[in-house]
Amino acid sequence: EGLVGALQDFQSTMPTPIVYKIVGFDAETFENVNQGDALYARASDGKLGKAIANDTFDKANVAGIAETTKLSGETVRAIVRGVVATSGLDSGDFYFLSNASAGAITKTAPTTSGHYQTVIGEAGTSAQLIIKLEPPVLLS
């Protein structure tokens, strides 16, 4: 039967489909991060810290969202795609990297010249953020 037969047999014997809710990667932090913080990867060593939209392209280029709270030097899982639980969102609104507070997200897109606009995702409900990271755009 070959590969196709094996896959069909595997599919027919699965009790329920496997659904992956999130996709991410693990990396060490260079500063304390909180669950839900937007993170960037430091170019010199690949360690993660809090992203912000009012600094450099690197710091506005979000690598993922912190799955849990971790201290500096600990390993954190950075979520790059999927749905994460949170609170206080407005369903259907897009969320952006904050230019006022490191690691924070906001539904008000930055508009200041020289800052970056980075889309983080969209609120599916008031308690679920659908992560849809996009590259930062420099505002002029």
Side-chain angles (χ1 to χ4, degrees):
E1 293 181 24
L3 178 62
V4 173
L7 291 174
Q8 288 172 335
D9 182 55
F10 180 68
Q11 180 183 20
S12 67
T13 59
M14 292 294 293
T16 57
I18 297 172
V19 178
Y20 292 95
K21 187 174 176 182
I22 58 174
V23 175
F25 65 96
D26 295 335
E28 186 178 331
T29 62
F30 66 82
E31 65 180 330
N32 297 346
V33 299
N34 297 313
Q35 180 180 5
D37 279 349
L39 305 173
Y40 81 98
R42 193 163 59 185
S44 62
D45 57 12
K47 292 181 180 180
L48 300 177
K50 296 177 183 181
I52 192 158
N54 68 357
D55 203 322
T56 63
F57 176 86
D58 287 344
K59 288 185 179 180
N61 192 16
V62 176
I65 304 297
E67 185 176 42
T68 56
T69 298
K70 296 291 181 174
L71 298 175
S72 180
E74 292 184 329
T75 299
V76 67
R77 182 162 180 80
I79 307 304
V80 296
R81 282 282 191 249
V83 178
V84 294
T86 188
S87 62
L89 302 177
D90 291 326
S91 182
D93 284 351
F94 280 89
Y95 283 79
F96 303 86
L97 178 63
S98 172
N99 62 343
S101 182
I105 64 170
T106 178
K107 70 177 187 173
T108 305
T111 57
T112 305
S113 180
H115 289 192
Y116 292 87
Q117 192 174 88
T118 305
V119 175
I120 301 298
E122 181 180 0
T125 69
S126 63
Q128 291 183 331
L129 181 66
I130 303 164
I131 306 298
K132 297 178 181 179
L133 300 176
E134 294 185 15
V137 175
L138 179 61
L139 301 173
S140 57

